[in-house]
Amino acid sequence: MELFDNVNYTDKVFAKPFIKWAGGKTQLLPVFQNFYPKELKLGIIENYFEPFLGGASVFFDVVQKYGIKNSYLSDNNFDIFLIYKVIQRNVDVLIDELSQLKRKYLKLTETKREEFYYQLRENYNVDKAKIKTKKFEDNWITRAGQMIFLNKTCFNGLYRLNKSGDFNVPFGKYTNPGIYDESNLRNVAEILQSSNIVYGDFEYLQNKVNEKSFVYFDPPYRPISSTSTFNSYSKDGFNDNDQRRLAACFKGLSFKGAKLMLSNSDPKNHNEKDEFFDDLYKGFNINRIDATRMINSNSEKRGKIKELLITNY
């Protein structure tokens, strides 16, 4: 399924990611900037694509620094698509929704806050059946507000779904969570006026990309060990067959002359003999960069690791 809105690029404003996101790339932007294609910096690139949107930190970096005429943002997770679409179309109403949630939440005791969180999480999961995916409706705004609220008050800012597609992250005990930044949301809305926001699988790119395109892929990471289970950004997950399908898409787009950059976990962090990505992307530039793992229930297992940054240039 794909939903497109065609709009033109307008004025640039300062905007940054508005949700926490596992694997978010804000910390890596100074490194990534060294790997952007020279054609982007020379103004040759006209179209930017990010098909695994998440927190969109690379999008915000690229679109505000370079002369991008068209940007295409997409995700196969409908709630991610929904939240960006709501900000693009109804940021004022969304801010009102968030303001009410924040006011109710912050005046509660910690025990009552926890009860409030779990009740809202239950409502969020139950109400997903009422959300129509083909047509924008007012209940999209309510759901976007709930998602942002849960993101900022859940444990460690995780987004995780169980096999039934229910959000199942536990409560986070934050004293004064920054639930939303009104000024930033308005800046994000301004930036998104120039974006084509798409709901669908990454393969739609094959009919949209040309030699003046830069595509950044940030798929759900392959678990770096046999005990790693945090991979469920959608109820269907993203398995090795999906990784292979993505690699085939990468190769096809490279043949069309697009500039491509892709992130993923480095299996060699756990097993030096694991050649999964080295084999999949043989012939491309496979760079191993330093990153910090922030998502782990055991704080002692967080820290510096290697990640892959793969380019076709």
Side-chain angles (χ1 to χ4, degrees), residues 26-286:
T26 299
Q27 60 158 323
L28 290 174
L29 287 179
V31 177
F32 279 21
Q33 289 159 2
N34 295 323
F35 286 91
Y36 289 160
K38 64 181 181 181
E39 290 82 359
L40 179 65
K41 301 173 183 179
L42 292 172
I44 297 171
I45 298 296
E46 297 181 351
N47 311 304
Y48 176 77
F49 294 81
E50 191 166 333
F52 298 94
L53 193 50
S57 57
V58 176
F59 160 71
F60 289 121
D61 187 51
V62 168
V63 78
Q64 293 178 101
K65 288 182 177 177
Y66 305 102
I68 299 297
K69 293 183 179 180
N70 308 292
S71 57
Y72 297 83
L73 311 176
S74 61
D75 209 288
N76 199 33
N77 179 318
F78 180 75
D79 280 332
I80 295 298
F81 162 80
L82 177 151
I83 200 172
Y84 282 90
K85 200 67 183 172
V86 166
I87 291 174
Q88 183 189 55
R89 292 185 56 167
N90 291 84
V91 70
D92 289 335
V93 183
L94 175 61
I95 287 171
D96 288 342
E97 184 84 18
L98 287 166
S99 177
Q100 293 178 42
L101 286 172
K102 181 177 181 177
R103 186 168 57 252
K104 291 176 183 178
Y105 182 74
L106 291 183
K107 70 180 182 181
L108 299 174
T109 65
E110 182 175 315
T111 299
K112 291 295 183 181
R113 285 185 182 187
E114 188 168 358
E115 292 175 4
F116 185 92
Y117 173 88
Y118 283 113
Q119 182 60 60
L120 191 139
R121 191 184 76 171
E122 181 179 352
N123 294 342
Y124 178 78
N125 288 329
V126 170
D127 290 347
K128 69 179 179 180
K130 303 175 185 177
I131 303 296
K132 296 180 180 178
T133 60
K134 294 184 179 180
K135 182 181 179 182
F136 190 100
E137 296 184 344
D138 287 345
N139 61 3
W140 284 28
I141 303 171
T142 300
R143 188 163 185 83
Q146 290 175 337
M147 181 176 174
I148 292 174
F149 174 85
L150 291 170
N151 176 260
K152 294 301 179 69
T153 57
C154 72
F155 174 75
N156 217 19
L158 296 175
Y159 183 86
R160 183 184 64 201
L161 303 180
N162 62 23
K163 291 183 179 180
S164 298
D166 290 338
F167 180 78
N168 68 349
V169 182
F171 175 64
K173 297 180 179 180
Y174 303 113
T175 302
N176 189 28
I179 293 172
Y180 72 102
D181 178 337
E182 179 175 345
S183 177
N184 185 55
L185 283 177
R186 293 191 187 280
N187 288 343
V188 169
E190 182 69 22
I191 286 289
L192 292 179
Q193 299 311 304
S194 64
S195 299
N196 303 269
I197 304 177
V198 181
Y199 170 44
D201 185 80
F202 61 83
E203 289 189 339
Y204 89 91
L205 292 172
Q206 296 179 76
N207 297 320
K208 304 290 289 185
V209 168
N210 59 27
E211 69 279 359
K212 292 186 177 182
S213 300
F214 174 41
V215 186
Y216 172 57
F217 296 96
D218 188 23
Y221 277 17
R222 186 174 186 248
I224 61 174
S225 73
S226 59
T227 58
S228 245
T229 57
F230 185 76
N231 193 34
S232 299
Y233 297 106
S234 68
K235 66 183 179 64
D236 299 320
F238 199 84
N239 59 30
D240 281 358
N241 285 333
D242 293 310
Q243 298 285 2
R244 295 183 183 98
R245 193 163 56 89
L246 178 57
C249 179
F250 189 99
K251 293 171 185 176
L253 297 180
S254 182
F255 184 76
K256 296 179 71 171
K259 302 303 177 184
L260 312 174
M261 186 170 82
L262 179 145
S263 302
N264 218 307
S265 58
D266 184 0
K268 292 185 181 293
N269 284 299
H270 180 70
N271 180 1
E272 281 291 333
K273 296 182 179 180
D274 192 329
E275 300 287 332
F276 183 80
F277 287 116
D278 293 82
D279 291 339
L280 271 186
Y281 292 95
K282 186 176 182 180
F284 296 107
N285 296 313
I286 302 176

Side-chain angles (χ1 to χ4, degrees), residues 293-306:
R293 179 200 292 169
M294 300 300 294
I295 301 298
N296 197 299
S297 58
N298 183 347
S299 61
E300 293 181 358
K301 292 185 178 181
R302 301 173 194 165
K304 293 294 183 182
I305 59 169
K306 292 290 185 181

